[in-house]
Every structure is written in C-alpha cells, then in structure tokens.
Amino acid sequence: MKKLLVFLVLSLVSIGIFASDFVVDEMFTPEKPKLGGTLTIRLSSAPQSFNYYGTLDSAAYTIAGQFLRGLVDLNPITFVIEPALAESWEVSEDGKEVLFHLRDVKWSDGVPFTADDVIFSMDYFIMNRFAEGNEIARYTIGGELVRWEKVDDKTVKAYLPEPYGAFFNVLSHAYIYPKHKLESKIDKDDLGSVNRLWLTNTPPQEIVGTGPFVLKEYVTGQKVVLEKNPYYWKVDKWGNKLPYVDELVYLIIEDDEVATAQFLAGQIDYMTVSPKDYPYLKQEEVSKGKIKVFKGEPVKPTPSPVHITFNFDAKDPELKDIFRNERFRFAMEYALDRDRIIEEVYNTLAVYGGTPVLPSNKAFYNPNIEGIRRSYDLKMAEQMLDSIGIKDRNDDGWRELPSGERFEFVLTSSSAQENQDIAYIFSQDLEKIGVKVHLQILDPTLVSQSTLSGDYEAAIGAFGNQPDPQLRKAIWQPGNHLYYNHLSTMNKETSEPIFEEMLEWELRIFEDFEKAQVTMDQKLRKIYYDDWQALYAYYVPFIYVCKGMELSAKQSNLSNFFVNEEGVIVYLNETIFKK
C-alpha cells in the first residue's frame, strides 16, 4: 500500500509534501468496512444558510463541512497537515511563496475542479471583507493580505508578505467554492451579495462541492439529508471509495430530552450528550449494552467555552466608562461562582474554561493564568465596586453610579438552557451585592446579531477555541470584526484597525498576534500567545465561565471511531460504517 509521505523541515529550506494514491489513515480502518446504509446524527438547531462564509451559524458550518473541502486537511487524530484538494506543495527558502499542485478531481456535478475555483473562492468568499463569515484576518500579515496567483489550471501560488507559522493550519479551514455555479450570481458592485447565495431555500442540485457528501433534501426545521458524492476522491486501503454510507441525515432536534428519547429508540446513531442526561445514558449502556457513552477532557473547538462580556462601546456613556474600567470587571469576576455553575448547570461535568486556550491544548496553553484567575468572593467584588464609586448611597439595597442613577444593566443570553441557567445564577449573586441585572433571553441568532452590531450592554456568549490561536485571530485581536465587545477599534468601511481607540493592554494583544503569525519559531509563537492569555486573565475583557466535558453517545453497531488519550471520541462521517 502506498502511504502519504510528509517532510517537515523547520528551517523552511524547500519544504515539500507529496501524496500518491490517497488512503484513509489506518487508525480509522482497523477492520474491513461494511458499505451502504444511512448515518443519522442530531443537529441541535436549524441551519440559517448553506453558505459557510455567508453566515455566523454553527449549524450551517456543520452542514457545509460535509460537502466542501479545502486545499489541505488537518488529521483529527495526529493533527498533521495532509493533502486535500492540493495533492502536493512546495515552500520557498524564504518562506514567502507556496506553490500548490491541485488534485485532478471533479465537482459533484461532474465539472473539473481547477485553479480558477481557488482564486474565485479567495477573492469572493474567504478574503472578501463583505462576506459575513469571511476569514480575512487570517490572511492579513503585517497589514498586508496574502496574494494568490493562478499559474495554470492545476497550479496556484500564494505570496505571503512574511513567513507565516500558522499558514497551513489556516488553510485547513478554508473551503473552496465552485466558480462555474456562483460567479454569475454575484453582484460585483455589491460584494455583500455573496451572503445571499446558497440560502436554505436554494434547490439542492444548485449546491455542489468536492466533499464526501452532497445536499439531497432540506425539510425546513426538521432534517437535512445528504447523499454520497460519486466524484469524491478518497479511498481506503481496500480500494473502497468513501464515504462508506450512502446517506447522511441530520435530524434537527432542539430539545435534549426529545433527542435522548429518539437516540434510545435507535432513531439517532450518534449525538453529543447534555450533562444532565449523561448519568442516565451511562446506566443504559451498562444495563443493556446497546449504546456506548463517552466522557473526555475538553479538547474540541466546539461546543465553545462560555464567557461573559461587557460592551466597551455601550450607548449609555456612564455605562461605557464603567465597563472599560478593569476594576469593574475584576468585581464581576469575583461575583462569578464558577464552582456552583459547574455543579448545578453541568452536573459536575465541566472544567474551568481557560483564558481562552483550553488547558488540554498543551502546545499553546499558558498554565500561569491559574494564579491570575479570580475566585468567587463577594466581599472582594463589593470592595472593587466601592473603589470606583458604585455604592449604595440611599440605603435602599441597590448601588448607584457616581451620578446618583441606579447602577443596572441588561444581560443578554441565548435561549440555550445552560446559558439561561448561568445568567440566572450570575444575576442572583450580583443582586446580593446590590447590582440590579435585567435578563434578556433571545433566540441564538438574535443574540449574535445584537452582539456583532454592538446593540447590547452585557452578554453571555461563546466563541470556539482552535488548535492554533491564529485561527481565532478575528475574535481575540482588537480591530477585527468579531472582537465584539469593542467594535470601535475597527473602521467599518475599510476594516482597518483604529489604534487610538485601543486600550494600552489591547494594543499589546494586537501586537502579540501580529508577531506570532510571522515567526516560524514555535517556541517564540508560544511566548507571544502566553502574553495574550495572561493579559486576558488579568484584564478579563471576556470572563470565562467553564467548558463542558466532551460527552457523546453512539449506537453499539457503529464502527470506525477512535478514542484519544483524553477519552474523547474522534470520527469522520465519511469513514463511519455500521456492522
């Protein structure tokens, strides 16, 4: 059997990766698979779009990830970069040019995939600042964009302003779109028009990809059905074309209890598990043996660690000043009872959420933040509020601002049960120290719209981690469109950072990310990211609450899952089969 050959030369002297016949990692195929059938998975919310770059919606990302592919893949077990739509590449000695040789494959409608599709995707989706889910921050190095050039139909070249240590990790999250299907539908005078492509009312035959599955049917609010892509290029060591199953169905079930009931009835093959349902399902596993339940240390980017943040650009000028005062945020962290939340909301199945790198990410986590995190202490919270003039001046039990107005704010949360529970516990503790909190519970989509437009005072949210912090630069670096608690640090018209709007520690964070992305020395990159985490832990622009354990369950007849050292189950939909 021919195998992938991976050559990693840290000195960047002519790095090359080459692939022969593409085979699936042997850890995923320990036994000869059974072909055919349907794989059914639970989806907890309906997709808002099928356009990965036209929305900020996790359900849409899940579905799009089944029919789209990028130039490279990240192996979910080894975390090694592997060929995908690019079958090989070479990096120049100075690390500033990467030449990609494209795989000879077809789109799901039979049209050949070419270099034009890569350039088109970079221009109109991935690096289009008007695309709602764009990733332009990941391709901006020292203020300059990565430039792409077509060499011929099967070759493209990337020109990097500086050597870029996270470039291939970034590319593993960049999906390529079909130029022949979409170019004519884009209004070149309105590049935001890409956000209106591939909405959920699009006929399935109009949505083509190079991934293992293609869209077959969408029943609004009920299910998404995908079927095997006949042109998918991957094969296993026995010569079987992937995916193994003929059909992939996502059942849209928002209620955890309903999902658990359908899982136990055998109508769902695999799903994530809520903390409250874990003990019961574990009993079912032991007593009946028809299911397998897994619990692992949090390692995945999703679901995201929950955080609480305050709007540095609040419309009320007095609140804006208060929210920008670090002593106020210190008080809010002292008032957060993480242990109670882990006990009551997560049934003890959670850990502290990092700041914001997860402790399980040993490559980048800064363990020194453990000594910076403020523990629950309402007396300290009261002292901090007193020190900035937020006091009970009329003995009515509620604190007032220096102006004499009652200090109160609106805390916006999504309707997800755990977020509501966290908001309620936090508001209870704040009321104990005289801070009035008004809870606003909204649909998750409305919460996202409110925060990203700056129309909120305080919010409970969640942004995912990634193996490399560079992949979340747009969230954590001031001056980007997802740095939503201080939107005034970015020019909305040009997307340029506004340095004079940044606080001193925000400027340091900006520089940490700029420096970390242009060095190939991984130890030096960690030093920069350690500084960023320490600044977050001290100044708490986002107060991290906790991160739930990785809880999941599958039917016993599902095969080809890998359990890693942390106890987390790793799988690919394209390689799962039923015994």
Side-chain angles (χ1 to χ4, degrees):
M1 180 187 69
K2 299 179 182 178
K3 296 183 178 180
L4 297 179
L5 300 179
V6 181
F7 302 95
L8 297 177
V9 183
L10 294 181
S11 62
L12 266 183
V13 179
S14 190
I15 292 180
I17 288 191
F18 307 92
S20 53
D21 297 338
F22 198 99
V23 295
V24 179
D25 193 308
E26 288 190 43
M27 284 186 287
F28 274 110
T29 52
E31 57 182 306
K32 195 168 184 179
K34 180 180 178 181
L35 307 182
T38 298
L39 175 66
T40 304
I41 301 176
R42 179 226 180 160
L43 194 64
S44 59
S45 62
Q48 304 301 307
S49 171
F50 294 130
N51 181 356
Y52 187 91
Y53 296 105
T55 185
L56 294 170
D57 170 52
S58 61
Y61 298 162
T62 296
I63 302 302
Q66 307 309 311
F67 61 79
L68 294 173
R69 277 296 175 269
L71 293 176
V72 301
D73 278 337
L74 184 68
N75 186 298
I77 295 176
T78 64
F79 298 108
V80 170
I81 293 294
E82 298 176 340
L85 292 177
E87 63 179 359
S88 65
W89 54 85
E90 300 110 40
V91 182
S92 63
E93 290 189 10
D94 64 1
K96 294 184 179 182
E97 296 181 9
V98 186
L99 188 69
F100 293 94
H101 303 284
L102 305 182
R103 192 179 298 279
D104 186 14
V105 297
K106 295 180 180 179
W107 292 95
S108 55
D109 60 358
V111 174
F113 160 72
T114 72
D116 291 326
D117 296 309
V118 178
I119 304 301
F120 169 75
S121 300
M122 292 294 172
D123 288 346
Y124 291 101
F125 292 90
I126 301 167
M127 293 168 50
N128 172 8
R129 66 185 177 91
F130 297 102
E132 188 171 350
N134 77 76
E135 295 174 349
I136 195 168
R138 298 179 178 182
Y139 296 86
T140 304
I141 306 171
E144 293 185 53
L145 279 172
V146 173
R147 183 168 59 86
W148 294 84
E149 175 185 273
K150 174 184 176 181
V151 178
D152 57 42
D153 280 349
K154 290 298 178 184
T155 315
V156 295
K157 180 178 283 191
Y159 295 90
L160 283 59
E162 298 288 342
Y164 188 9
F167 185 54
F168 288 97
N169 275 337
V170 164
L171 281 179
S172 71
H173 292 70
Y175 291 128
I176 305 303
Y177 278 60
K179 180 180 180 180
H180 69 284
K181 296 293 290 187
L182 295 175
E183 184 178 36
S184 63
K185 296 179 172 61
I186 297 173
D187 181 351
K188 303 299 174 59
D189 295 322
D190 174 19
L191 294 184
S193 61
V194 300
N195 298 315
R196 299 187 288 275
L197 300 176
W198 283 1
L199 299 178
T200 55
N201 60 354
T202 304
Q205 64 271 19
E206 289 299 309
I207 299 177
V208 304
T210 54
F213 298 94
V214 292
L215 190 64
K216 179 181 180 182
E217 179 188 19
Y218 175 51
V219 181
T220 306
Q222 297 182 42
K223 64 179 180 180
V224 181
V225 182
L226 300 104
E227 61 185 349
K228 187 171 186 173
N229 176 3
Y231 293 104
Y232 192 51
W233 74 90
K234 285 189 183 181
V235 298
D236 68 10
K237 61 185 177 183
W238 292 282
N240 296 308
K241 291 192 65 175
L242 269 61
Y244 291 140
V245 298
D246 294 327
E247 197 171 64
L248 173 61
V249 177
Y250 284 95
L251 293 182
I252 301 167
I253 308 172
E254 295 187 7
D255 187 88
D256 288 339
E257 291 185 6
V258 174
T260 298
Q262 292 201 22
F263 174 71
L264 290 174
Q267 297 172 6
I268 296 174
D269 293 312
Y270 175 86
M271 70 174 195
T272 55
V273 173
S274 70
K276 65 181 178 62
D277 289 331
Y278 176 82
Y280 172 64
L281 288 173
K282 198 65 181 175
Q283 289 178 352
E284 286 287 306
E285 175 189 7
V286 174
S287 63
K288 298 179 181 178
K290 294 183 178 180
I291 63 173
K292 294 286 186 181
V293 186
F294 302 88
K295 177 183 73 173
E297 182 74 13
V299 294
K300 296 179 182 177
T302 57
S304 306
V306 179
H307 64 245
I308 299 168
T309 194
F310 298 87
N311 190 355
F312 288 9
D313 298 310
K315 294 177 182 177
D316 183 305
E318 200 165 10
L319 279 184
K320 180 175 75 172
D321 289 342
I322 290 294
F323 292 164
R324 292 187 180 198
N325 189 315
E326 59 257 29
R327 283 182 166 264
F328 165 74
R329 299 193 301 279
F330 297 169
M332 295 299 98
E333 186 174 27
Y334 279 124
L336 178 65
D337 193 346
R338 293 182 175 93
D339 292 330
R340 179 187 170 192
I341 290 168
I342 290 173
E343 175 78 26
E344 296 182 10
V345 180
Y346 290 89
N347 200 19
T348 74
L349 298 169
V351 299
Y352 290 167
T355 12
V357 177
L358 288 175
S360 56
N361 186 349
K362 296 177 177 60
F364 289 106
Y365 180 64
N366 180 1
N368 294 325
I369 67 168
E370 303 294 342
I372 302 175
R373 182 188 287 117
R374 297 166 188 86
S375 300
Y376 178 63
D377 188 335
L378 289 182
K379 288 186 178 179
M380 285 296 296
E382 289 182 305
Q383 290 177 25
M384 288 292 169
L385 292 175
D386 289 344
S387 72
I388 57 175
I390 302 178
K391 302 178 179 179
D392 182 2
R393 291 176 164 79
N394 55 14
D395 295 323
D396 65 348
W398 299 106
R399 291 176 179 268
E400 284 79 40
L401 293 162
S403 65
E405 295 291 322
R406 178 187 288 184
F407 176 57
E408 54 190 341
F409 60 83
V410 176
L411 177 61
T412 301
S413 168
S414 76
S415 55
Q417 191 61 52
E418 66 182 44
N419 285 19
Q420 290 190 60
D421 293 342
I422 291 169
Y424 179 68
I425 289 173
F426 187 49
S427 67
Q428 277 188 318
D429 279 319
L430 288 178
E431 290 192 3
K432 290 176 185 176
I433 58 174
V435 176
K436 182 63 178 175
V437 179
H438 303 279
L439 297 183
Q440 180 183 49
I441 309 300
L442 301 175
D443 178 85
T445 302
L446 294 178
V447 173
S448 177
Q449 291 174 357
S450 297
T451 54
L452 292 176
S453 65
D455 187 20
Y456 73 101
E457 292 178 349
I460 290 181
F463 275 139
N465 283 264
Q466 286 289 349
D468 192 311
Q470 175 64 18
L471 297 174
R472 283 293 183 260
K473 175 185 174 183
I475 296 173
W476 313 126
Q477 186 193 51
N480 283 306
H481 71 297
L482 294 180
Y483 192 76
Y484 74 90
N485 70 335
H486 201 179
L487 290 171
S488 62
T489 60
M490 185 191 78
N491 185 311
K492 292 182 180 179
E493 298 299 321
T494 65
S495 296
E496 294 294 318
I498 304 176
F499 297 109
E500 56 267 30
E501 285 291 330
M502 295 181 194
L503 301 171
E504 182 180 356
W505 55 269
E506 287 182 305
L507 284 167
R508 276 181 61 185
I509 289 172
F510 185 93
E511 286 300 317
D512 281 337
F513 274 90
E514 292 300 293
K515 293 174 181 176
Q517 73 177 2
V518 298
T519 178
M520 298 301 292
D521 184 333
Q522 297 304 314
K523 291 182 179 179
L524 184 55
R525 292 186 73 218
K526 187 178 188 308
I527 290 173
Y528 293 132
Y529 290 134
D530 278 355
D531 185 58
W532 153 61
Q533 291 173 72
L535 289 168
Y536 258 70
Y538 182 77
Y539 289 102
V540 284
F542 298 86
I543 304 173
Y544 282 87
V545 182
C546 60
K547 163 75 170 175
M549 303 290 284
E550 306 287 354
L551 308 176
S552 57
K554 73 178 186 73
Q555 302 295 337
S556 293
N557 67 337
L558 281 192
S559 189
N560 225 11
F561 287 79
F562 179 81
V563 180
N564 65 19
E565 293 178 357
E566 288 78 19
V568 176
I569 191 169
V570 183
Y571 69 97
L572 293 173
N573 289 335
E574 63 199 78
T575 58
I576 290 177
F577 60 89
K578 294 185 177 181
K579 294 181 181 178

